[in-house]
Amino acid sequence: MLPIHIAIKLQQAQTIKDWLGVDSKEQAEVYFYGILFAGTMIVLLTLRNITILGELLGRLYFPSYTAVSRISISDFLQRIEVSVAIVFITCVFIKVSICMYVASKGVSKIFNLNDYRSVTIQTGLLTIFFAYIMYKNIMEMKYWAFNVYQYYSFPFQVILPVIIWIIIEIKCKRKVVK
């Protein structure tokens, strides 16, 4: 399902430059090639997983890790799943860092603080606490992801953006009237 704010932005855009919200053609090209590269990599990795694992793919939690662990080229290239584990850990670190940064910036904006760094420790401690109590095991996480998340995310991905959009439209019309 396409998030509502992206659908609205696509509807209003005249060109890709308008849709991406960039100022110059060079910036639009960087975004476009980045999206093209990422999409190509995802397709290639998915095809690799499908060809190596076959029907086993749907039953695994980390199919890329399992697919790479099955790769063996003579005695030269074996046991390269360590490299995948390092990439996973690096990606998780980057993702958590970005989420922490954005959450800290958001909390500082909500409470009108001058600097986001004053709430970073508290936000990090709350994140660790919630991560610790959220799921007891990976089966509980998988159940939540496939059965509960769609209902949980609907208000945040549809209802809240529509309410914010309506409020902004009302504020803009009030400014035009004045």
Side-chain angles (χ1 to χ4, degrees), residues 65-136:
Y65 185 80
T66 306
V68 171
S69 70
R70 292 184 177 208
I71 294 174
S72 176
I73 301 173
S74 175
D75 289 334
F76 175 68
L77 196 60
Q78 293 181 349
R79 309 289 296 170
I80 58 174
E81 62 264 20
V82 173
S83 63
V84 173
I86 291 171
V87 169
F88 278 161
I89 290 169
T90 305
C91 290
V92 166
F93 175 76
I94 291 170
K95 183 178 179 179
V96 168
S97 298
I98 291 171
C99 288
M100 283 292 301
Y101 173 72
V102 170
S104 298
K105 290 286 272 189
V107 169
S108 68
K109 291 273 187 198
I110 288 171
F111 292 112
N112 282 333
L113 300 173
N114 293 333
D115 194 16
Y116 73 92
R117 287 176 269 186
S118 62
V119 295
T120 304
I121 292 176
Q122 294 87 344
T123 308
L125 290 173
L126 280 173
T127 304
I128 291 170
F129 174 71
F130 286 132
Y132 182 71
I133 66 166
M134 186 72 91
Y135 309 110
K136 291 184 179 96

Side-chain angles (χ1 to χ4, degrees), residues 35-46:
I35 291 170
L36 185 67
F37 176 74
T40 304
M41 290 302 294
I42 289 171
V43 168
L44 290 175
L45 291 174
T46 303

